[in-house]
Amino acid sequence: AITSTGLDAARSMEVLQRSAKMSAVGMGETVDIGRTLTAIIRAYGNEGMTAAKASEIMFKIVKDGAAEADELGRSLGRVVGIASTLKISLEDVGTFIATFTRIGVNTAEAVTAVRALIGNLELKKPGKDAIAALESVGLTFDMLRKNIKELGLTAAALDLFGRFKGREGDLQPIIANIRAMAGAMGTYGAQIEAVIAIQKHMMADTKEMEDASIRTGKTGAQMWNEIKAGMEGVFISIGDKIIPARKQM
């Protein structure tokens, strides 16, 4: 049951409803979406993350980029744990995935790249070549990590690439992981205007996923039937806490 993952009855019901709505607008299988929304809420719950907000960001990732919706539902959960722990917002993660997939990269590869980039910049002990490369543009690793924390990954990365403009190859000691470097180059290096526009869209308070769901014309009863059918076999028992929550709706 979803409640076994640590979500209370109200949030569990919201995940169920949102998963069915997202599936109805072509965002993938209800089961995969439900797992991912649950992972996001657990990772970012202390920051006020809701299923509605998470589903909106996922919808924008697909809309603004070329991410495969069904693959996003299966793979996004792989990065939210490390991202939330290191205070990287879901909007920053979404901006990267949406932008990187615009150049033909598949969703799973984009998720792998942003996860590697976060680990490279935030967790890896810098070598002397990396320290020297940053010093050449007036930065230290402490300053870079402070920028990521205070400005966000997107703004900090754009600043970093701006400092190395014309000699991006010198970033290699700083972003040593090949997948991370390919993703960063393909995103913050090659698509600056797109990054800025997508980031702005990610941060906007919109209800585009909800509007798309309404346009499907499905009734509440149809949605509920899809919830039950989609979750069967994964969330085996909804439990006594959730059913009363539905009856009160």
Side-chain angles (χ1 to χ4, degrees):
I2 294 178
T3 49
S4 68
T5 65
L7 302 185
D8 59 28
R11 288 195 295 177
S12 297
M13 180 55 67
E14 186 188 13
V15 167
L16 290 172
Q17 292 173 325
R18 284 284 161 177
S19 300
K21 288 182 178 182
M22 291 177 73
S23 182
V25 299
M27 288 291 293
E29 294 295 326
T30 310
V31 168
D32 296 327
I33 297 167
R35 287 172 173 157
T36 299
L37 289 180
T38 300
I40 291 171
I41 293 170
R42 290 192 66 186
Y44 288 98
N46 291 336
E47 299 172 28
M49 181 62 67
T50 64
K53 182 176 180 180
S55 63
E56 183 73 4
I57 292 172
M58 289 177 67
F59 186 81
K60 290 177 180 180
I61 293 172
V62 174
K63 181 177 181 179
D64 290 347
E68 305 92 340
D70 56 345
E71 182 59 37
L72 182 66
R74 292 192 296 268
S75 61
L76 187 57
R78 293 170 41 222
V79 69
V80 296
I82 185 173
S84 64
T85 299
L86 296 172
K87 307 303 179 185
I88 306 294
S89 72
L90 186 61
E91 290 89 346
D92 277 326
V93 171
T95 296
F96 182 101
I97 296 170
T99 308
F100 195 29
T101 56
R102 284 164 60 99
I103 59 173
V105 176
N106 67 49
T107 307
E109 186 177 346
V111 168
T112 297
V114 70
R115 186 174 65 172
L117 179 64
I118 292 170
N120 220 215
L121 294 179
E122 291 279 32
L123 298 177
K124 184 181 178 182
K125 183 178 180 180
K128 61 181 181 180
D129 289 343
I131 292 171
L134 278 179
E135 288 179 346
S136 73
V137 294
L139 285 175
T140 65
F141 260 88
D142 285 344
M143 292 168 65
L144 175 59
R145 288 167 177 169
K146 182 179 180 182
N147 286 346
I148 294 173
K149 181 178 180 180
E150 295 182 355
L151 304 177
L153 176 63
T154 303
L158 287 175
D159 173 72
L160 180 64
F161 270 79
R163 292 170 185 261
F164 280 90
K165 187 174 182 179
R167 56 187 188 97
E168 288 83 0
D170 291 345
L171 282 162
Q172 193 278 328
I174 302 166
I175 309 174
N177 181 283
I178 185 64
R179 289 186 174 89
M181 186 60 165
M185 292 282 285
T187 302
Y188 309 119
Q191 301 188 78
I192 297 173
E193 291 184 4
V195 170
I196 294 170
I198 291 172
Q199 172 76 353
K200 183 178 180 180
H201 188 210
M202 289 288 169
M203 298 299 294
D205 184 13
T206 58
K207 295 182 179 179
E208 295 174 30
M209 204 291 295
E210 184 69 24
D211 292 342
S213 174
I214 292 171
R215 287 195 296 272
T216 67
K218 293 190 177 182
T219 66
Q222 288 173 315
M223 287 292 186
W224 178 246
N225 287 333
E226 289 186 9
I227 289 171
K228 291 189 294 183
M231 292 302 172
E232 192 173 76
V234 177
F235 305 123
I236 300 172
S237 171
I238 295 179
D240 293 336
K241 292 183 179 179
I242 303 180
I243 297 301
R246 186 213 171 213
K247 290 179 178 179
Q248 294 171 10
M249 292 173 59

Short mmCIF file of all heavy atoms in Angstrom, two decimals, residues 193-232:
data_model
loop_
_atom_site.label_atom_id
_atom_site.label_comp_id
_atom_site.label_asym_id
_atom_site.label_seq_id
_atom_site.Cartn_x
_atom_site.Cartn_y
_atom_site.Cartn_z
N GLU A 193 19.82 29.81 -23.93
CA GLU A 193 18.51 30.47 -24.01
C GLU A 193 17.38 29.51 -23.64
O GLU A 193 16.43 29.89 -22.94
CB GLU A 193 18.28 31.04 -25.40
CG GLU A 193 19.19 32.23 -25.73
CD GLU A 193 18.88 32.83 -27.09
OE1 GLU A 193 17.92 32.37 -27.75
OE2 GLU A 193 19.60 33.76 -27.50
N ALA A 194 17.49 28.27 -24.09
CA ALA A 194 16.48 27.27 -23.76
C ALA A 194 16.46 26.99 -22.26
O ALA A 194 15.39 26.87 -21.65
CB ALA A 194 16.72 25.98 -24.54
N VAL A 195 17.63 26.89 -21.66
CA VAL A 195 17.73 26.64 -20.22
C VAL A 195 17.01 27.74 -19.44
O VAL A 195 16.21 27.46 -18.53
CB VAL A 195 19.21 26.57 -19.76
CG1 VAL A 195 19.30 26.56 -18.24
CG2 VAL A 195 19.88 25.32 -20.31
N ILE A 196 17.27 28.97 -19.81
CA ILE A 196 16.66 30.11 -19.10
C ILE A 196 15.14 30.09 -19.24
O ILE A 196 14.41 30.28 -18.27
CB ILE A 196 17.25 31.44 -19.63
CG1 ILE A 196 18.73 31.53 -19.25
CG2 ILE A 196 16.48 32.63 -19.05
CD1 ILE A 196 19.46 32.69 -19.92
N ALA A 197 14.66 29.85 -20.47
CA ALA A 197 13.21 29.83 -20.71
C ALA A 197 12.54 28.67 -19.98
O ALA A 197 11.47 28.84 -19.37
CB ALA A 197 12.94 29.75 -22.21
N ILE A 198 13.15 27.50 -20.03
CA ILE A 198 12.57 26.33 -19.39
C ILE A 198 12.58 26.48 -17.88
O ILE A 198 11.61 26.12 -17.19
CB ILE A 198 13.31 25.05 -19.84
CG1 ILE A 198 13.00 24.77 -21.31
CG2 ILE A 198 12.91 23.85 -18.98
CD1 ILE A 198 13.82 23.66 -21.92
N GLN A 199 13.67 27.02 -17.34
CA GLN A 199 13.74 27.23 -15.89
C GLN A 199 12.62 28.18 -15.43
O GLN A 199 11.96 27.94 -14.42
CB GLN A 199 15.10 27.82 -15.51
CG GLN A 199 15.24 28.26 -14.06
CD GLN A 199 15.41 27.11 -13.09
OE1 GLN A 199 15.31 25.95 -13.45
NE2 GLN A 199 15.67 27.42 -11.84
N LYS A 200 12.40 29.22 -16.20
CA LYS A 200 11.33 30.18 -15.87
C LYS A 200 9.98 29.48 -15.86
O LYS A 200 9.14 29.70 -14.98
CB LYS A 200 11.35 31.34 -16.86
CG LYS A 200 10.31 32.42 -16.56
CD LYS A 200 10.41 33.57 -17.56
CE LYS A 200 9.37 34.64 -17.24
NZ LYS A 200 9.46 35.78 -18.22
N HIS A 201 9.77 28.63 -16.86
CA HIS A 201 8.50 27.89 -16.94
C HIS A 201 8.36 26.91 -15.78
O HIS A 201 7.27 26.77 -15.21
CB HIS A 201 8.45 27.14 -18.27
CG HIS A 201 7.13 26.49 -18.55
ND1 HIS A 201 7.00 25.35 -19.30
CD2 HIS A 201 5.87 26.82 -18.17
CE1 HIS A 201 5.74 25.00 -19.37
NE2 HIS A 201 5.02 25.88 -18.70
N MET A 202 9.45 26.24 -15.43
CA MET A 202 9.41 25.29 -14.30
C MET A 202 9.02 25.98 -13.00
O MET A 202 8.31 25.41 -12.16
CB MET A 202 10.78 24.62 -14.12
CG MET A 202 11.15 23.63 -15.18
SD MET A 202 10.23 22.09 -15.09
CE MET A 202 10.71 21.34 -16.66
N MET A 203 9.48 27.19 -12.81
CA MET A 203 9.26 27.91 -11.56
C MET A 203 7.88 28.56 -11.50
O MET A 203 7.42 28.94 -10.43
CB MET A 203 10.33 28.99 -11.38
CG MET A 203 11.76 28.44 -11.29
SD MET A 203 12.01 27.32 -9.89
CE MET A 203 11.79 28.46 -8.52
N ALA A 204 7.21 28.67 -12.65
CA ALA A 204 5.92 29.36 -12.70
C ALA A 204 4.84 28.54 -12.01
O ALA A 204 4.82 27.31 -12.08
CB ALA A 204 5.53 29.64 -14.14
N ASP A 205 3.93 29.23 -11.34
CA ASP A 205 2.80 28.58 -10.66
C ASP A 205 1.68 28.37 -11.68
O ASP A 205 0.90 29.27 -11.94
CB ASP A 205 2.33 29.44 -9.49
CG ASP A 205 1.22 28.79 -8.69
OD1 ASP A 205 0.99 27.58 -8.88
OD2 ASP A 205 0.59 29.48 -7.86
N THR A 206 1.63 27.19 -12.26
CA THR A 206 0.66 26.89 -13.31
C THR A 206 -0.11 25.62 -12.98
O THR A 206 0.24 24.89 -12.06
CB THR A 206 1.36 26.71 -14.67
OG1 THR A 206 2.32 25.65 -14.53
CG2 THR A 206 2.07 27.98 -15.09
N LYS A 207 -1.14 25.35 -13.76
CA LYS A 207 -1.93 24.13 -13.59
C LYS A 207 -2.15 23.48 -14.96
O LYS A 207 -3.25 23.06 -15.31
CB LYS A 207 -3.28 24.46 -12.94
CG LYS A 207 -3.15 24.97 -11.50
CD LYS A 207 -4.52 25.22 -10.88
CE LYS A 207 -4.38 25.71 -9.44
NZ LYS A 207 -5.70 25.98 -8.82
N GLU A 208 -1.08 23.35 -15.69
CA GLU A 208 -1.17 22.86 -17.06
C GLU A 208 -1.55 21.38 -17.12
O GLU A 208 -2.31 20.95 -17.99
CB GLU A 208 0.15 23.09 -17.79
CG GLU A 208 0.46 24.57 -17.98
CD GLU A 208 1.83 24.82 -18.56
OE1 GLU A 208 2.32 23.95 -19.32
OE2 GLU A 208 2.43 25.88 -18.26
N MET A 209 -1.03 20.59 -16.19
CA MET A 209 -1.37 19.17 -16.17
C MET A 209 -2.84 18.98 -15.83
O MET A 209 -3.54 18.18 -16.45
CB MET A 209 -0.48 18.44 -15.16
CG MET A 209 -0.33 16.94 -15.43
SD MET A 209 -1.80 15.93 -15.18
CE MET A 209 -2.05 16.13 -13.42
N GLU A 210 -3.32 19.76 -14.86
CA GLU A 210 -4.72 19.68 -14.47
C GLU A 210 -5.63 20.08 -15.64
O GLU A 210 -6.64 19.43 -15.91
CB GLU A 210 -4.98 20.59 -13.28
CG GLU A 210 -6.40 20.52 -12.72
CD GLU A 210 -6.73 19.21 -12.05
OE1 GLU A 210 -5.79 18.51 -11.61
OE2 GLU A 210 -7.92 18.87 -11.98
N ASP A 211 -5.24 21.15 -16.34
CA ASP A 211 -6.03 21.59 -17.49
C ASP A 211 -6.06 20.52 -18.58
O ASP A 211 -7.10 20.29 -19.21
CB ASP A 211 -5.45 22.89 -18.05
CG ASP A 211 -5.63 24.07 -17.10
OD1 ASP A 211 -6.48 23.98 -16.20
OD2 ASP A 211 -4.91 25.07 -17.26
N ALA A 212 -4.92 19.88 -18.81
CA ALA A 212 -4.87 18.82 -19.82
C ALA A 212 -5.75 17.65 -19.42
O ALA A 212 -6.41 17.03 -20.26
CB ALA A 212 -3.43 18.35 -20.01
N SER A 213 -5.78 17.36 -18.13
CA SER A 213 -6.62 16.28 -17.62
C SER A 213 -8.10 16.59 -17.85
O SER A 213 -8.88 15.73 -18.27
CB SER A 213 -6.36 16.06 -16.13
OG SER A 213 -7.25 15.11 -15.59
N ILE A 214 -8.48 17.82 -17.60
CA ILE A 214 -9.88 18.23 -17.80
C ILE A 214 -10.27 18.09 -19.26
O ILE A 214 -11.39 17.67 -19.60
CB ILE A 214 -10.08 19.68 -17.31
CG1 ILE A 214 -9.93 19.75 -15.78
CG2 ILE A 214 -11.45 20.21 -17.74
CD1 ILE A 214 -9.91 21.16 -15.24
N ARG A 215 -9.33 18.41 -20.15
CA ARG A 215 -9.63 18.34 -21.59
C ARG A 215 -9.86 16.91 -22.08
O ARG A 215 -10.40 16.71 -23.17
CB ARG A 215 -8.51 19.00 -22.40
CG ARG A 215 -8.50 20.52 -22.30
CD ARG A 215 -7.64 21.15 -23.38
NE ARG A 215 -6.24 20.78 -23.25
CZ ARG A 215 -5.35 21.45 -22.52
NH1 ARG A 215 -5.73 22.53 -21.84
NH2 ARG A 215 -4.09 21.06 -22.45
N THR A 216 -9.44 15.92 -21.31
CA THR A 216 -9.70 14.54 -21.72
C THR A 216 -11.18 14.22 -21.63
O THR A 216 -11.67 13.26 -22.25
CB THR A 216 -8.93 13.53 -20.83
OG1 THR A 216 -9.44 13.56 -19.49
CG2 THR A 216 -7.45 13.82 -20.84
N GLY A 217 -11.92 14.99 -20.81
CA GLY A 217 -13.36 14.80 -20.70
C GLY A 217 -13.77 13.63 -19.85
O GLY A 217 -14.94 13.25 -19.83
N LYS A 218 -12.83 13.05 -19.11
CA LYS A 218 -13.17 11.90 -18.28
C LYS A 218 -13.83 12.34 -16.99
O LYS A 218 -13.45 13.35 -16.39
CB LYS A 218 -11.93 11.06 -17.98
CG LYS A 218 -11.36 10.40 -19.23
CD LYS A 218 -10.29 9.39 -18.89
CE LYS A 218 -9.79 8.69 -20.16
NZ LYS A 218 -8.79 7.66 -19.85
N THR A 219 -14.81 11.56 -16.55
CA THR A 219 -15.53 11.87 -15.32
C THR A 219 -14.74 11.40 -14.11
O THR A 219 -13.79 10.62 -14.22
CB THR A 219 -16.89 11.17 -15.31
OG1 THR A 219 -16.68 9.75 -15.26
CG2 THR A 219 -17.70 11.52 -16.53
N GLY A 220 -15.17 11.88 -12.93
CA GLY A 220 -14.53 11.44 -11.70
C GLY A 220 -14.63 9.94 -11.50
O GLY A 220 -13.69 9.29 -11.04
N ALA A 221 -15.77 9.35 -11.88
CA ALA A 221 -15.96 7.91 -11.74
C ALA A 221 -15.00 7.14 -12.64
O ALA A 221 -14.41 6.12 -12.24
CB ALA A 221 -17.40 7.53 -12.06
N GLN A 222 -14.82 7.64 -13.87
CA GLN A 222 -13.88 6.99 -14.78
C GLN A 222 -12.46 7.06 -14.24
O GLN A 222 -11.69 6.09 -14.32
CB GLN A 222 -13.96 7.65 -16.17
CG GLN A 222 -15.23 7.32 -16.93
CD GLN A 222 -15.32 8.12 -18.21
OE1 GLN A 222 -15.07 9.33 -18.23
NE2 GLN A 222 -15.72 7.47 -19.30
N MET A 223 -12.10 8.22 -13.70
CA MET A 223 -10.78 8.37 -13.10
C MET A 223 -10.59 7.38 -11.95
O MET A 223 -9.54 6.75 -11.80
CB MET A 223 -10.57 9.81 -12.59
CG MET A 223 -10.37 10.83 -13.69
SD MET A 223 -8.80 10.61 -14.55
CE MET A 223 -8.83 12.05 -15.62
N TRP A 224 -11.61 7.24 -11.12
CA TRP A 224 -11.49 6.34 -9.98
C TRP A 224 -11.32 4.90 -10.43
O TRP A 224 -10.53 4.14 -9.87
CB TRP A 224 -12.71 6.47 -9.07
CG TRP A 224 -12.65 5.53 -7.90
CD1 TRP A 224 -13.49 4.49 -7.65
CD2 TRP A 224 -11.71 5.55 -6.83
NE1 TRP A 224 -13.11 3.85 -6.49
CE2 TRP A 224 -12.02 4.48 -5.97
CE3 TRP A 224 -10.62 6.37 -6.53
CZ2 TRP A 224 -11.29 4.20 -4.81
CZ3 TRP A 224 -9.88 6.10 -5.39
CH2 TRP A 224 -10.21 5.02 -4.54
N ASN A 225 -12.04 4.51 -11.49
CA ASN A 225 -11.90 3.16 -12.02
C ASN A 225 -10.49 2.92 -12.56
O ASN A 225 -9.93 1.84 -12.41
CB ASN A 225 -12.93 2.91 -13.13
CG ASN A 225 -14.33 2.75 -12.59
OD1 ASN A 225 -14.52 2.34 -11.44
ND2 ASN A 225 -15.33 3.09 -13.40
N GLU A 226 -9.91 3.97 -13.17
CA GLU A 226 -8.54 3.85 -13.67
C GLU A 226 -7.55 3.75 -12.52
O GLU A 226 -6.54 3.06 -12.61
CB GLU A 226 -8.20 5.03 -14.58
CG GLU A 226 -8.93 4.99 -15.90
CD GLU A 226 -8.47 6.10 -16.85
OE1 GLU A 226 -7.47 6.78 -16.52
OE2 GLU A 226 -9.10 6.28 -17.89
N ILE A 227 -7.82 4.47 -11.46
CA ILE A 227 -6.95 4.39 -10.28
C ILE A 227 -6.91 2.96 -9.77
O ILE A 227 -5.85 2.38 -9.55
CB ILE A 227 -7.46 5.33 -9.16
CG1 ILE A 227 -7.22 6.78 -9.54
CG2 ILE A 227 -6.77 5.02 -7.84
CD1 ILE A 227 -7.87 7.77 -8.60
N LYS A 228 -8.10 2.38 -9.59
CA LYS A 228 -8.17 1.03 -9.03
C LYS A 228 -7.50 0.02 -9.95
O LYS A 228 -6.76 -0.86 -9.49
CB LYS A 228 -9.63 0.64 -8.80
CG LYS A 228 -10.30 1.41 -7.68
CD LYS A 228 -11.67 0.85 -7.35
CE LYS A 228 -12.65 1.02 -8.49
NZ LYS A 228 -14.00 0.53 -8.14
N ALA A 229 -7.74 0.16 -11.25
CA ALA A 229 -7.16 -0.78 -12.21
C ALA A 229 -5.66 -0.62 -12.32
O ALA A 229 -4.91 -1.59 -12.36
CB ALA A 229 -7.80 -0.59 -13.58
N GLY A 230 -5.20 0.63 -12.35
CA GLY A 230 -3.78 0.88 -12.54
C GLY A 230 -2.93 0.49 -11.35
O GLY A 230 -1.80 0.05 -11.50
N MET A 231 -3.46 0.67 -10.16
CA MET A 231 -2.69 0.40 -8.96
C MET A 231 -2.72 -1.07 -8.54
O MET A 231 -1.90 -1.50 -7.75
CB MET A 231 -3.20 1.26 -7.81
CG MET A 231 -2.94 2.73 -8.01
SD MET A 231 -1.17 3.06 -8.21
CE MET A 231 -1.21 4.78 -8.67
N GLU A 232 -3.64 -1.83 -9.09
CA GLU A 232 -3.77 -3.23 -8.69
C GLU A 232 -2.47 -3.99 -8.99
O GLU A 232 -1.92 -3.92 -10.07
CB GLU A 232 -4.92 -3.87 -9.46
CG GLU A 232 -5.33 -5.22 -8.92
CD GLU A 232 -6.58 -5.72 -9.61
OE1 GLU A 232 -6.46 -6.16 -10.77
OE2 GLU A 232 -7.66 -5.63 -9.01
#
